[in-house]
Amino acid sequence: MIEQGQQLPAGILAELTKDGMQNHDVAELFAGKKVVLFAVPGAFTPTCSESHLPGFVVFADQLKAKGVDLIACVSVNDAFVMKAWGESQNTTELMMLADGDASFTKALGLEMDTAAFGGVRSQRYAMVVDNGVVTTLNVEAPKSFEVSTAEAILATL
């Protein structure tokens, strides 16, 4: 599993924008920026839709006031699902990124097998990344939602 002080692994994350499908190289996307990256097990799932994502929408301005350049949500879903979920949650201040084949999530060492629920998914986490280096990493225990909240991340900045 990735640890604080380590460089993010290479990867490509997809985003569906008004201009079409964008494939973002992780190294380029995070270069020279302070980024809050948080991951959810699945778009449109209860805790993710009712608490995790909405918290980052509500606290986006406060995170940016603390020097955060980009707030990004990643999930092992496709870019079409991430776009629809983002629109349903009013995520205009966030980037909704898809890790469709879970390759980035696996490179982080933060995958979990949910079996019949959806197969390989991401563990729930939030991290602060400064110029590609993880400075804060908060990974949730199974079935927990405490350390990866927007409030918890805001308190680390």
Side-chain angles (χ1 to χ4, degrees):
M1 178 171 71
I2 193 160
E3 296 178 7
Q4 288 178 198
Q6 292 183 326
Q7 187 83 25
L8 285 177
I12 301 293
L13 296 171
E15 178 189 27
L16 185 59
T17 69
K18 61 179 173 38
D19 299 322
M21 190 67 69
Q22 307 291 318
N23 288 315
H24 299 284
D25 178 276
V26 170
E28 292 175 15
L29 183 62
F30 287 65
K33 296 182 190 99
K34 182 181 268 189
V35 179
V36 170
L37 177 68
F38 69 100
V40 298
F44 292 106
T45 56
T47 301
C48 306
S49 292
E50 294 164 13
S51 302
H52 205 179
L53 181 61
F56 284 95
V57 171
V58 168
F59 286 98
D61 289 342
Q62 290 178 49
L63 289 163
K64 289 185 175 184
K66 293 272 192 170
V68 172
D69 300 301
L70 172 66
I71 304 165
C73 175
V74 66
S75 184
V76 180
N77 287 107
D78 64 59
F80 298 96
V81 169
M82 292 301 286
K83 181 178 191 305
W85 189 40
E87 288 173 350
S88 76
Q89 294 280 333
N90 193 32
T91 60
T92 55
E93 297 293 314
L94 279 63
M95 187 175 242
M96 302 298 287
L97 299 171
D99 184 18
D101 65 355
S103 59
F104 180 69
T105 299
K106 288 176 183 175
L108 289 171
L110 290 169
E111 77 277 7
M112 65 178 176
D113 189 347
T114 64
F117 170 75
V120 175
R121 296 291 179 138
S122 178
Q123 294 181 54
R124 185 181 307 281
Y125 67 82
M127 64 173 70
V128 178
V129 182
D130 198 348
N131 195 28
V133 175
V134 177
T135 58
T136 301
L137 176 60
N138 294 356
V139 181
E140 294 289 356
K143 302 194 185 296
S144 293
F145 179 57
E146 298 169 8
V147 300
S148 67
T149 66
E151 297 92 330
I153 291 299
L154 190 57
T156 70
L157 297 172

